Amino acid sequence: MDGSRKHMVSLRGSSAREITRDALLDKVSQEREIRHFARRAAAAALFVQRVWRRYYMTKKVALQLREEWELSLANGFGSMSKTWISIVIVRPFLFFIDHLSLKQRKIQAQDVRCTSSCFMSLLQSITSVDSNKNFNSLATGSTEERRVWGYQTRKLITLCSFMLEVFDSSSASKDMATATSLALRLIISLTDLNCWKFISDQNRIHADGAVKDLVCFMGSRESGVYRAIGKYISSLDTPSERQSLTDDKFLITASAVTLALRPFQADTIDSEDSDTAAMQFCTYILPVPWLIQRIPVLLLPALRHTTVVTPCFRTLQMFHKKILMEYSEINRSRSSSVINAISQAGSALSNIICLVTATANNSTNFTDYVHLVSYVEVINILAEEFEVDLRLYADSCSFFDGEDLTFGSLRYMDLLKPVTMQWHLASLMASVKRGSSDLTDPLSTTSGKRSLVGLELCDVARFYSHMIRIYSMLNTTVGSLPVLNILSFTPGFLLNIWDRLEKLVFPANSQASKGSICIDLVSQKRNDGAFDKKSKQFVKDGGAKWITMLQRITAKRKSDPDHVEFVSKQVSGLDDEDIIDSWDVEPMRSASASISKDTSFLLHLFCATYAHLLLVLDDIEFYERQVPFTLEQQRRIASMLNTLVYNSMLHSNGQLDKFLMDAAVKCLQMLYERDCRHQFCPPSLWLAPARVSRPPIAAAARLHLAARPDDYSPTTSVGSFITTIPHVYPFEERVQIFREFIKMDKVSRKMAGELTGPSEQSTEVVVRRGHIVEDGFRQLNSLGSKLKSSIHVSFIGECGLPEAGLDYGGLSKEFLTDIAKEAFSPDYGLFTQTVTTERLLIPNTAAIFQDNGIQMIEFLGRIVGKSLYEGLLLDYSFSRAFVQKLLGRYSFLDELSTLDPELYKNLIYLKHYDGDIKELSLDFTVTEESLGKLHVIELKPGGKDTSVTDENKLQYIHAMADYKLNRQILALSNAFYRGLTDLISPSWLGLFNASEFNQLLSGGNHDFDVDDLRDNTQYTGGYTEGSRTVKLFWEVLSGLEPKERCMLLKFVTSCSRAPLLGFKYLQPIFTIHKVACDTPLWAAIGGHDVERLPSASTCYNTLKLPTYKRASTLKAKLLYAINSNAGFELS
């Protein structure tokens, strides 16, 4: 191929080296792109050159213009006309200041001096009475003059806003402070018609229009005035340093506040423009952190004036969505390193509370003309947004405490203090228009908005519900205690809330039918009486106020002294089938689907407040005086909460908020605990919601164990309801669930390889009969959770030789029983008995001083855990206060009656003491005897020097109860708890209350079903079910007294009570073994029977019964044996 055709392209594809059509098109396209890129690059380079050339030339012209401007200002200062000022001073000044400073977002030192000179010239001109020399007279001139004046004044306002925005009050120079002060004075003069000295009747209309336009522009977003004022106020010093402000800085602050309020005080602007200014105020100034504390006191009355507050409230109500979006944008624009900055909504909320409240003559109250309806609605809007901000912040940070939010020595929580004051709640409640609620469709979430004629109770409930939530999230130490204190002890407040809830949840038709049955059953035998007279004076502070408030919460009828006992006897009558359905409250069955937002806030506020009040209500007030609710109302409350919590947790879908569920669960549990201690509700009430729909036992157990331990949340966890509200299951079913937990645990241990063989993982224990506790402690205490595995016990007799026998479970049972019998004996010193008639066990405080005392208590916890794990019964019961610790529950004042009735009686007497308590000479100490010495223990720091007075006696009472119930046995309870939970999960124990725990440990009632025992008995040694002696035995057993039957059961099994689920769960099974005894012929002829006594082998639950021929003989020998308290040695 010749050279001219070598690089030619053939489209026929005759040669592989020739380019294809597609490749050719790609190559052409690439070359085209390269040429286009080169052209664009060249154009961009030319554009950049033009921009830089323009910037350079503009700056050069601006610098030259500034020099000429300064020269013109110096030469023509004495003969300035309005036109000359506009053309020679203002126009060039705006040009060079815009290009040299505004666009650079930084004002130069020379520009500061020029600005001061320009503003001084303008201020001098504006104050002139000669219209030819007054710059503002252009606003009343020709159309062109008015247009020029409007443009220039808007640019001047923008410039002044910029200067205020970049002004730093802490580091600004004297010249900058002067220039900024002049700038604000200029805006004030331009927007105040009183400063226009040349005004006449002929040009007033034009002047009014010009001022109106400027004020409208100043209130717009374009001017930047409010953004600049907000940024400036945010830079002001702390309150402790405000007094050192210079005169210029004070004038700047005063001028800034004046400008911020100018649109509110202008009568000539339209309402639409006023709303725009108010929106800017709410967006940039209202959310300034610690706004009221940064501004000088002399300026606060202007901010608090109704002409400012009312438009802000109206704007927040009308445009809250737009304003809250602005808040969110500002929050997101903040640096992530700012961890102590409160959100915009939180700052606005606290500032509004400070704006509408003021202190005068040592008392705080609302300022004059505050519209409480608008105030409450605005706070609710901001509080809801603030809660969202706090949750987002808490999710992104591992720790959050509102106590860290400070401004100088002032905490953010201090700004919210007015809402925790008595006068605040009283003012809101006084303005509530009673009887105006719209109850047409109270629980519907689709009902229309209410027509607010006045302040509604649901609005107040929403207000304080938000406050409780905010305090809980901000203050991790005290929580919502300040709010709950004032709500709980305000007379009539809880009654008002419950009255509204009762109308919503229990309609009138159900009250007239099923509800009336419940009322009559309790009230028909109650005697009328006068309740304690109301207190004549409200005590403002201290514990005495709380006690007085409890007596003033409601005026109830006082029952007879024996009314508490009467109630316990009569509640069983409320279990009739006709009224059981009434305890399953229908409006609460579908939970979140049927509860409106207003009802949700009412429920949350009621539950949180009443749960707090229940902490200090003693049994006399609850049962006898029935304060604040009657027992019938208490049952209604319990049924409502029981239905709500159960259905919300069972059908959990996350629609009910966590705060409501937490408060409802807490209040419900406190009512249930009180009912467990002293019954006021029928058992069917607690079972009613789950009577039909509760999951099966095995499914419930799997649901609970499937939930992760850190998943507990009343709003999300379905499985957690088993341990949160286990009372919806009957006690027998809860015992089955408990056994199901243990069964599943054994399966999981087997899958993990802990139970690979029949005896591979068992522990061999050799103990001496006379040292069973010490030997058991030495060999088993270090096992911890491994004690779940089986143990094989060998006994060493008194003579030092091993006892014959193999451990197939009986010896282990005997070993555990004997350890418990010896270690729980008060003579051993680890446990003691209460002074009550039940003589229940509680750790001996002197055990701390014994060798290995704490470790021994922990070991006994493992022994009890082992017994529960294996299903063995121990015939011991612990005091309620001690069991409460094991169940992870706190004990309160009324629990003291089960531990020390005399002390409880004295404390209650002290609580209701009418005289001067100082006469009793009490202080915050308690004297304890230990090892023969008296020790004085302070109930609080400095207790020796703190006398008990009427103001702090409630604190003393609860401190004393707390010491006796909690602090005194805390170390010992924790040790026992550690040992117990090595084998039994705390969540398993949560299935039961204190009395049920004792039943779980020691068995059922003090009697048993003889037929159940007969059906679960095996016979050995030659006996059968049809044997004559066996038939006589069952005949005699049926005729014994319940106490004698229990003694027989203890004689055989070492426990006087039957297993909770029946004798089929007794391990080993109950056995009757034949003891053959030959009676001499002459003895039989003479009517004599077998003389040998029955005996027992408790380790095998075996009764060794001789072959008696007569029922009378069998009964006499049996009673003699069981009353002799002996077993093997009888013969």
Side-chain angles (χ1 to χ4, degrees):
M1 182 180 295
D2 58 354
S4 61
R5 299 185 59 190
K6 183 176 181 180
H7 299 290
M8 293 182 66
V9 177
S10 172
L11 298 181
R12 298 190 304 270
S14 58
S15 172
R17 298 181 62 182
E18 294 182 358
I19 191 169
T20 64
R21 178 182 180 87
D22 292 340
L24 176 63
L25 294 176
D26 290 340
K27 182 178 180 180
V28 172
S29 177
Q30 291 175 4
E31 291 176 351
R32 186 182 296 113
E33 288 294 331
I34 292 174
R35 289 194 299 271
H36 288 172
F37 177 79
R39 284 197 296 269
R40 289 195 299 271
L46 292 175
F47 176 77
V48 171
Q49 291 177 4
R50 285 196 297 270
V51 169
W52 276 105
R53 188 180 301 113
R54 180 180 178 183
Y55 169 76
Y56 173 77
M57 294 301 299
T58 302
K59 186 174 181 180
K60 181 178 179 181
V61 170
L63 291 172
Q64 182 179 356
L65 191 60
R66 185 174 64 184
E67 295 178 1
E68 296 176 357
W69 180 86
E70 291 176 341
L71 184 61
S72 300
L73 187 64
N75 293 335
F77 192 82
S79 58
M80 295 188 298
S81 65
K82 60 181 181 181
T83 305
W84 188 85
I85 293 174
S86 175
I87 297 175
V88 178
I89 294 182
V90 178
R91 181 180 295 174
F93 169 76
L94 291 176
F95 178 82
F96 71 73
I97 203 71
D98 180 60
H99 289 84
L100 298 180
S101 293
L102 288 180
K103 292 184 178 180
Q104 305 299 323
R105 305 304 297 173
K106 183 179 180 181
I107 189 166
Q108 305 296 328
Q110 188 173 354
D111 289 337
V112 171
R113 292 190 294 271
C114 292
T115 302
S116 298
S117 299
C118 179
F119 290 166
M120 289 181 64
S121 300
L122 285 172
L123 286 171
Q124 183 179 355
S125 171
I126 290 173
T127 56
S128 174
V129 297
D130 187 356
S131 61
N132 292 324
K133 294 183 178 181
N134 196 309
F135 173 70
N136 284 344
S137 64
L138 292 172
T140 61
S142 63
T143 303
E144 181 63 21
E145 288 178 336
R146 292 198 301 271
R147 185 187 64 81
V148 171
W149 180 88
Y151 172 80
Q152 291 179 345
T153 51
R154 281 171 168 77
K155 295 291 290 185
L156 288 171
I157 289 176
T158 304
L159 171 62
C160 295
S161 302
F162 168 74
M163 294 186 65
L164 181 63
E165 187 174 357
V166 299
F167 179 76
D168 189 348
S169 60
S170 60
S171 60
S173 63
K174 180 69 175 178
D175 290 341
M176 185 64 183
T178 301
T180 305
S181 178
L182 289 172
L184 297 181
R185 286 174 56 192
L186 176 63
I187 301 180
I188 292 174
S189 299
L190 289 173
T191 56
D192 187 359
L193 199 60
N194 294 325
C195 297
W196 294 31
K197 303 297 184 182
F198 68 93
I199 294 298
S200 62
D201 294 338
Q202 290 77 13
N203 55 19
R204 181 171 297 276
I205 297 178
H206 290 294
D208 286 340
V211 170
K212 174 186 174 182
D213 291 341
L214 274 189
V215 172
C216 292
F217 173 75
M218 189 177 68
S220 66
R221 188 187 187 96
E222 181 184 356
S223 68
V225 171
Y226 283 98
R227 182 177 62 250
I229 295 174
K231 188 173 182 180
Y232 166 74
I233 296 177
S234 299
S235 69
L236 291 179
D237 299 327
T238 59
S240 60
E241 300 171 350
R242 286 189 304 170
Q243 303 302 324
S244 63
L245 293 175
T246 63
D247 291 341
D248 284 338
K249 293 180 180 179
F250 177 80
L251 289 175
I252 293 174
T253 304
S255 300
V257 173
T258 303
L259 287 177
L261 305 183
R262 178 55 53 82
F264 300 102
Q265 299 166 349
D267 298 332
T268 57
I269 64 174
D270 298 332
S271 59
E272 183 178 350
D273 297 322
S274 176
D275 290 339
T276 303
M279 186 179 297
Q280 294 297 303
F281 184 92
C282 295
T283 303
Y284 294 108
I285 297 181
L286 194 60
V288 172
W290 288 275
L291 171 67
I292 306 302
Q293 290 68 35
R294 296 178 189 270
I295 294 177
V297 177
L298 293 175
L299 304 177
L300 291 181
L303 272 178
R304 290 189 166 118
H305 198 270
T306 184
T307 57
V308 178
V309 175
T310 300
C312 289
F313 284 175
R314 183 178 66 249
T315 302
L316 278 168
Q317 290 173 274
M318 295 173 59
F319 307 106
H320 63 272
K321 291 184 179 180
K322 186 174 182 180
I323 294 174
L324 294 181
M325 287 180 63
E326 294 280 355
Y327 286 175
S328 300
E329 290 295 330
I330 296 174
N331 290 335
R332 283 193 291 268
S333 65
R334 286 177 175 173
S335 172
S336 59
S337 61
V338 183
I339 61 174
N340 286 335
I342 205 71
S343 71
Q344 295 290 100
S347 296
L349 182 144
S350 61
N351 289 333
I352 287 178
I353 293 175
C354 293
L355 277 175
V356 302
T357 59
T359 302
N361 299 325
N362 296 324
S363 64
T364 307
N365 212 325
F366 285 113
T367 55
D368 295 336
Y369 308 112
V370 175
H371 191 213
L372 292 180
V373 176
S374 299
Y375 163 69
V376 170
E377 184 171 350
V378 167
I379 290 295
N380 287 338
I381 292 171
L382 294 174
E384 190 168 352
E385 181 69 14
F386 189 28
E387 289 176 35
V388 175
D389 297 337
L390 290 175
R391 283 194 290 269
L392 291 176
Y393 189 88
D395 292 340
S396 61
C397 300
S398 58
F399 178 77
F400 181 79
D401 193 348
E403 295 296 312
D404 298 333
L405 303 170
T406 58
F407 180 66
S409 60
L410 191 66
R411 302 174 306 154
Y412 176 80
M413 304 302 297
D414 296 332
L415 306 182
L416 305 181
K417 191 174 181 180
V419 304
T420 66
M421 306 299 289
Q422 174 72 32
W423 62 264
H424 188 278
L425 177 59
S427 299
L428 295 186
M429 292 303 296
S431 65
V432 171
K433 184 179 180 181
R434 291 169 175 82
S436 62
S437 300
D438 181 12
L439 301 178
T440 54
D441 193 7
L443 295 177
S444 174
T445 56
T446 59
S447 58
K449 294 183 178 180
R450 290 177 289 105
S451 176
L452 286 178
V453 178
L455 191 61
E456 296 282 350
L457 183 61
C458 58
D459 298 321
V460 178
R462 184 182 176 192
F463 179 98
Y464 280 103
S465 176
H466 283 307
M467 291 300 113
I468 291 173
R469 298 161 193 254
I470 290 173
Y471 266 81
S472 299
M473 288 188 283
L474 283 179
N475 197 329
T476 56
T477 304
V478 180
S480 57
L481 186 63
V483 183
L484 292 176
N485 278 341
I486 196 63
L487 296 177
S488 300
F489 303 105
T490 296
F493 180 74
L494 259 180
L495 282 175
N496 287 331
I497 298 295
W498 172 244
D499 181 63
R500 180 63 56 85
L501 274 176
E502 193 172 26
K503 293 177 181 177
L504 298 177
V505 179
F506 299 94
N509 56 350
S510 64
Q511 294 184 30
S513 56
K514 296 180 180 179
S516 61
I517 301 175
C518 307
I519 298 174
D520 292 340
L521 285 172
V522 178
S523 62
Q524 58 186 347
K525 295 186 179 180
R526 288 178 53 186
N527 297 326
D528 294 339
F531 183 64
D532 295 343
K533 61 180 180 179
K534 294 185 177 180
S535 303
K536 295 181 179 180
Q537 182 179 1
F538 176 73
V539 184
K540 293 185 177 179
D541 296 303
K545 174 192 70 174
W546 293 0
I547 299 169
T548 305
M549 288 303 99
L550 288 175
Q551 297 173 353
R552 296 179 59 196
I553 285 176
T554 183
K556 305 293 183 187
R557 295 180 299 176
K558 185 174 180 179
S559 305
D560 290 338
D562 59 345
H563 176 62
V564 178
E565 288 75 12
F566 168 76
V567 170
S568 297
K569 295 177 182 178
Q570 292 297 321
V571 289
S572 60
L574 299 179
D575 277 331
D576 297 341
E577 287 294 331
D578 293 337
I579 62 173
I580 286 180
D581 287 340
S582 66
W583 303 129
D584 186 12
V585 184
E586 184 175 358
M588 298 288 105
R589 289 176 189 170
S590 53
S592 57
S594 62
I595 297 180
S596 66
K597 200 168 186 179
D598 284 344
T599 307
S600 175
F601 285 118
L602 282 168
L603 277 170
H604 172 245
L605 183 66
F606 176 81
C607 293
T609 305
Y610 191 41
H612 185 69
L613 182 61
L614 283 171
L615 297 178
V616 296
L617 275 180
D618 58 53
D619 284 348
I620 295 176
E621 293 160 333
F622 189 90
Y623 292 99
E624 294 186 19
R625 296 181 178 178
Q626 299 190 26
V627 174
F629 304 113
T630 65
L631 292 180
E632 173 57 30
Q633 289 176 317
Q634 302 284 11
R635 285 188 279 271
R636 284 177 173 268
I637 294 169
S639 63
M640 175 189 71
L641 297 181
N642 200 38
T643 308
L644 171 66
V645 173
Y646 172 76
N647 287 282
S648 298
M649 298 182 75
L650 186 64
H651 309 293
S652 177
N653 50 16
Q655 294 184 25
L656 279 183
D657 65 281
K658 179 180 182 297
F659 287 100
L660 169 58
M661 287 305 302
D662 286 349
V665 167
K666 181 179 180 181
C667 188
L668 176 64
Q669 288 177 340
M670 295 188 72
L671 287 171
Y672 178 70
E673 285 292 328
R674 193 174 288 260
D675 183 68
C676 292
R677 188 179 69 252
H678 206 135
Q679 188 179 13
F680 66 93
C681 291
S684 61
L685 185 149
W686 306 110
L687 303 174
R691 195 170 52 149
V692 177
S693 61
R694 62 176 179 264
I697 293 172
R702 287 193 296 270
L703 270 176
H704 175 73
L705 295 180
R708 297 193 303 271
D710 57 348
D711 260 356
Y712 172 69
S713 173
T715 60
T716 59
S717 178
V718 177
S720 64
F721 84 92
I722 303 172
T723 50
T724 304
I725 48 171
H727 55 254
V728 298
Y729 282 88
F731 174 60
E732 293 76 11
E733 292 189 15
R734 278 181 277 140
V735 174
Q736 295 181 47
I737 294 175
F738 178 78
R739 301 311 307 174
E740 187 71 23
F741 284 157
I742 294 176
K743 179 181 177 182
M744 295 170 68
D745 182 71
K746 290 180 178 180
V747 171
S748 64
R749 287 175 52 232
K750 184 175 182 180
M751 295 177 63
E754 296 183 31
L755 302 175
T756 54
S759 60
E760 226 174 275
Q761 301 295 324
S762 62
T763 302
E764 298 291 337
V765 183
V766 179
V767 294
R768 296 167 292 174
R769 286 285 184 184
H771 302 82
I772 190 168
V773 177
E774 293 80 3
D775 290 349
F777 171 74
R778 177 173 46 84
Q779 298 179 63
L780 298 180
N781 189 52
S782 60
L783 293 180
S785 61
K786 293 181 180 179
L787 193 57
K788 291 180 178 180
S789 301
S790 60
I791 57 175
H792 286 181
V793 180
S794 299
F795 284 102
I796 303 295
E798 296 292 341
C799 59
L801 297 177
E803 296 181 359
L806 297 176
D807 186 5
Y808 292 103
L811 295 179
S812 301
K813 173 180 179 292
E814 181 183 359
F815 167 67
L816 295 174
T817 304
D818 289 349
I819 282 185
K821 180 178 180 180
E822 184 173 346
F824 286 134
S825 172
D827 297 334
Y828 199 83
L830 294 177
F831 276 77
T832 185
Q833 293 178 330
T834 61
V835 296
T836 58
T837 56
E838 294 86 355
R839 311 297 291 174
L840 302 174
L841 293 175
I842 192 169
N844 189 348
T845 54
I848 297 177
F849 304 102
Q850 295 186 21
D851 293 338
N852 298 322
I854 295 291
Q855 291 83 353
M856 287 292 291
I857 294 289
E858 185 174 342
F859 171 64
L860 290 181
R862 293 192 180 95
I863 293 299
V864 171
K866 177 68 173 177
S867 301
L868 293 174
Y869 195 81
E870 300 297 341
L872 303 179
L873 299 179
L874 300 178
D875 199 10
Y876 304 97
S877 295
F878 299 107
S879 71
R880 180 180 177 86
F882 178 57
V883 176
Q884 288 287 86
K885 300 291 168 296
L886 304 182
L887 301 180
R889 298 163 191 167
Y890 202 78
S891 297
F892 297 98
L893 175 62
D894 290 307
E895 304 285 354
L896 192 59
S897 62
T898 64
L899 183 64
D900 192 340
E902 188 65 25
L903 177 60
Y904 173 74
K905 180 180 177 181
N906 293 336
L907 291 179
I908 294 299
Y909 172 80
L910 183 65
K911 180 177 180 180
H912 300 282
Y913 184 68
D914 295 330
D916 187 1
I917 203 170
K918 290 183 179 179
E919 299 174 354
L920 303 180
S921 301
L922 298 173
D923 57 22
F924 279 77
T925 61
V926 60
T927 303
E928 292 286 343
E929 182 180 358
S930 178
L931 301 179
K933 295 182 180 180
L934 295 178
H935 302 274
V936 177
I937 301 170
E938 292 186 329
L939 298 178
K940 70 175 186 177
K944 293 180 180 180
D945 304 321
T946 306
S947 299
V948 179
T949 64
D950 288 332
E951 287 74 24
N952 64 14
K953 69 177 180 181
L954 192 64
Q955 183 183 0
Y956 169 78
I957 291 169
H958 284 273
M960 178 65 77
D962 176 62
Y963 174 77
K964 288 291 186 180
L965 293 169
N966 302 302
R967 292 170 51 191
Q968 190 177 36
I969 61 171
L970 182 62
L972 299 172
S973 300
N974 287 343
F976 195 94
Y977 177 82
R978 288 193 299 270
L980 177 63
T981 54
D982 275 345
L983 289 87
I984 304 297
S985 171
S987 64
W988 303 353
L989 296 176
L991 291 169
F992 309 102
N993 58 46
S995 61
E996 291 170 344
F997 176 85
N998 281 327
Q999 291 185 56
L1000 185 70
L1001 178 64
S1002 58
N1005 299 324
H1006 291 285
D1007 197 4
F1008 58 85
D1009 186 355
V1010 176
D1011 292 333
D1012 182 39
L1013 178 60
R1014 180 190 292 118
D1015 294 338
N1016 294 280
T1017 298
Q1018 69 177 4
Y1019 307 96
T1020 60
Y1023 275 146
T1024 63
E1025 189 176 357
S1027 300
R1028 178 182 177 184
T1029 304
V1030 170
K1031 291 181 178 180
L1032 290 176
F1033 171 78
W1034 294 119
E1035 179 183 338
V1036 169
L1037 184 61
S1038 299
L1040 294 178
E1041 296 292 331
K1043 182 179 179 180
E1044 294 171 335
R1045 281 197 291 266
C1046 291
M1047 291 176 64
L1048 171 65
L1049 190 61
K1050 185 172 183 177
F1051 177 74
V1052 179
T1053 67
S1054 74
C1055 184
S1056 62
R1057 300 184 183 184
L1060 292 173
L1061 302 180
F1063 282 100
K1064 73 175 182 178
Y1065 289 93
L1066 181 65
Q1067 294 296 331
I1069 189 171
F1070 191 89
T1071 302
I1072 299 178
H1073 180 75
K1074 180 178 181 180
V1075 178
C1077 298
D1078 295 330
T1079 304
L1081 181 61
W1082 60 268
I1085 296 173
H1088 295 283
D1089 203 344
V1090 176
E1091 294 295 330
R1092 183 168 181 171
L1093 292 171
S1095 61
S1097 176
T1098 56
C1099 57
Y1100 294 106
N1101 294 335
T1102 298
L1103 174 65
K1104 298 177 180 179
L1105 187 65
T1107 55
Y1108 298 111
K1109 303 296 188 296
R1110 297 181 179 88
S1112 58
T1113 305
L1114 189 152
K1115 180 178 181 180
K1117 298 294 184 181
L1118 200 59
L1119 289 177
Y1120 183 86
I1122 63 179
N1123 283 293
S1124 298
N1125 195 25
F1128 281 115
E1129 69 273 15
L1130 292 177
S1131 62

